[in-house]
Amino acid sequence: MFLSRPIFLAVFSFFLLFFPGNAIRSLPRKITDVGDDKQIKDVSFMQFLEAPDYKNDQSCPVIGKDSLQLVCDPSLIHIAMTLDLEYLRGSIAAVHSVLTHTSCPENLFFHFIASDSSMMNKDELAHIVKSTFPSLSFKVYVFNQKLVQNLISSSIRHALENPLNYARSYLADMLEPCVERVIYLDSDTIIVDEIQKLWGISLTGSKAIGAPEYCHVNFRRYFSNEFWSDPEFSEVFAGKNPCYFNTGVMVMDLLKWREGDYTRKIEKWMEIQKERRIYELGSLPPFLLVFGGEVEAIEHRWNQHGLGGDNLVNNCRTLHPGPVSLMHWSGKGKPWTRLDASLPCPIDYLWASYDLHKPHHHHL
């Protein structure tokens, strides 16, 4: 069941005292050859507790025994996330939160997207995930950054220019063809409800994605004056009622995505942006341009975003009114950074209850 704000305030202090785990798993320093020199890649700080072995309830669908075809099993719930060193701690906490609140953890399959320019290769990242979640079904894919490097324009925040932010646009190409539907989650999210509820949301008609929409937000501010003054550009929203939506939480119909060739449509707008500068916010505006007015509206409880404080340092935000199923630390402040600096926001302590990183000493 979802976590209401009163329940959250009552239970988060209890969660802080409970960090389930059996052992600390870590990677040693790795020495790599670079020409005649040796570079030491220090990944010893990436230490995580081993999570409990979560098991299915008796009511869960039975998955097939063929491990080679597991990813194609129709009873699976598919979840995609990016995986890199900077946000790895967040990704691990997000996975832990999903497993904690689902009744069918063995029916989850995680698709982790790593960059081909990462300091750690996909096998090293997979080792960390497997050591932390021994029973988790997952696969690590490598995203070719060259696909977007020449398409990315400068943004108001340097972090928004990371090529891995654009990997979500290529999921339909990267994931196996048998994967027809996926939930995309940012690494700075925590789920406090049954993920099956989000998975079961219908995408009606031709809609390829579902996300919480925020129609009270001034949609025009996401694009430049040049965009709105050019009828050829603004015509894209003709006859539609486009609303802002956050791309950090989406239900995606990959069949409809492939049929609509949406990856190429997003790329086309990025090409226009390089020439005409029609927006400032990284990977979000192309999604708004392609899907604005054609999104399946999902309840707001599935993306309580902005908990990172937008673009202001140490700006604490509170939850939106209403029930909470998913919390999202979008914005500049990340909970693990604020906790380690002993400058946490109150909401960061709930995130800490799912943090499997060691050593961590969060002070109340």
Side-chain angles (χ1 to χ4, degrees):
M1 62 182 174
F2 63 79
L3 186 68
S4 66
R5 287 197 296 171
I7 293 176
F8 153 65
L9 293 173
V11 304
F12 84 87
S13 59
F14 167 77
F15 282 137
L16 289 176
L17 301 176
F18 181 67
F19 289 90
N22 303 317
I24 296 175
R25 300 297 182 92
S26 64
L27 284 175
R29 293 187 175 205
K30 178 184 176 182
I31 300 177
T32 57
D33 290 321
V34 181
D36 295 328
D37 300 323
K38 290 183 181 292
Q39 291 186 345
I40 297 179
K41 183 193 297 184
D42 189 357
V43 295
S44 59
F45 65 94
M46 282 299 160
Q47 300 181 10
F48 295 94
L49 289 169
E50 182 181 313
D53 188 14
Y54 295 101
K55 295 294 185 182
N56 278 1
D57 288 348
Q58 292 183 348
S59 60
C60 297
V62 178
I63 58 177
K65 296 181 179 180
D66 186 351
S67 59
L68 294 178
Q69 295 298 321
L70 174 62
V71 69
C72 296
D73 193 297
S75 64
L76 293 178
I77 294 174
H78 296 275
I79 302 169
M81 301 177 66
T82 56
L83 204 63
D84 66 354
L85 284 182
E86 184 178 0
Y87 286 86
L88 181 58
R89 187 169 166 187
S91 299
I92 294 294
V95 173
H96 189 206
S97 71
V98 174
L99 293 173
T100 299
H101 292 280
T102 185
S103 57
C104 301
E106 295 174 75
N107 291 76
L108 303 180
F109 195 101
F110 281 84
H111 304 264
F112 295 114
I113 315 301
S115 170
D116 59 355
S117 65
S118 174
M119 186 173 128
M120 299 179 68
N121 63 43
K122 76 169 191 173
D123 292 333
E124 293 171 315
L125 291 168
H127 171 79
I128 293 177
V129 175
K130 188 66 176 178
S131 297
T132 309
F133 305 105
S135 300
L136 189 70
S137 297
F138 72 93
K139 180 178 177 179
V140 179
Y141 305 73
V142 176
F143 177 59
N144 181 5
Q145 291 195 168
K146 291 182 179 179
L147 290 172
V148 294
Q149 275 180 336
N150 294 330
L151 295 174
I152 297 176
S153 302
S154 60
S155 181
I156 61 171
R157 277 173 51 206
H158 181 68
L160 299 178
E161 301 169 23
N162 186 335
L164 202 55
N165 290 336
Y166 295 83
R168 72 197 79 185
S169 302
Y170 293 86
L171 291 176
D173 297 332
M174 298 180 67
L175 274 53
E176 287 76 2
C178 65
V179 179
E180 301 178 355
R181 183 183 180 94
V182 69
I183 296 172
Y184 175 81
L185 298 176
D186 270 353
S187 297
D188 52 0
T189 57
I190 288 292
I191 295 82
V192 291
D193 203 348
E194 170 62 71
I195 197 71
Q196 175 68 44
K197 297 178 184 177
L198 184 59
W199 178 256
I201 290 172
S202 297
L203 302 183
T204 59
S206 61
K207 292 173 178 148
I209 66 171
E213 289 188 306
Y214 300 88
C215 296
H216 64 282
V217 175
N218 180 7
F219 191 82
R220 295 183 66 89
R221 71 187 181 94
Y222 291 98
F223 304 97
S224 67
N225 290 333
E226 180 178 357
F227 172 86
W228 292 112
S229 62
D230 189 326
E232 184 179 355
F233 290 158
S234 56
E235 179 70 16
V236 69
F237 297 123
K240 301 178 182 179
N241 182 28
C243 297
Y244 163 78
F245 63 95
N246 182 284
T247 55
V249 180
M250 296 185 291
V251 179
M252 307 172 69
D253 186 318
L254 299 184
L255 282 179
K256 294 176 183 176
W257 185 289
R258 293 166 183 140
E259 291 171 358
D261 197 16
Y262 288 118
T263 297
R264 179 56 191 152
K265 291 177 181 178
I266 289 173
E267 288 178 335
K268 183 62 178 177
W269 280 112
M270 293 174 68
E271 291 168 359
I272 293 173
Q273 161 72 355
K274 291 285 287 187
E275 297 177 2
R276 301 285 296 273
R277 195 69 184 178
I278 57 176
Y279 56 79
E280 301 289 339
L281 277 175
S283 62
L284 170 63
F287 264 85
L288 298 180
L289 287 162
V290 173
F291 296 106
E294 298 180 358
V295 174
E296 188 73 41
I298 295 175
E299 290 181 84
H300 287 177
R301 76 187 202 186
W302 285 107
N303 194 351
Q304 291 269 338
H305 67 283
L307 300 180
D310 292 334
N311 295 317
L312 301 177
V313 178
N314 299 328
N315 179 31
C316 291
R317 300 284 292 275
T318 58
L319 294 173
H320 310 167
V324 182
S325 292
L326 184 148
M327 287 167 284
H328 186 187
W329 277 259
S330 58
K332 201 167 186 178
K334 302 307 173 189
W336 54 90
T337 302
R338 296 193 296 219
L339 286 159
D340 287 351
S342 298
L343 294 170
C345 294
I347 194 68
D348 296 341
Y349 289 116
L350 181 63
W351 181 91
S353 66
Y354 300 98
D355 183 17
L356 292 174
H357 180 253
K358 282 291 185 179
H360 58 278
H361 305 288
H362 306 318
H363 304 290
L364 291 169

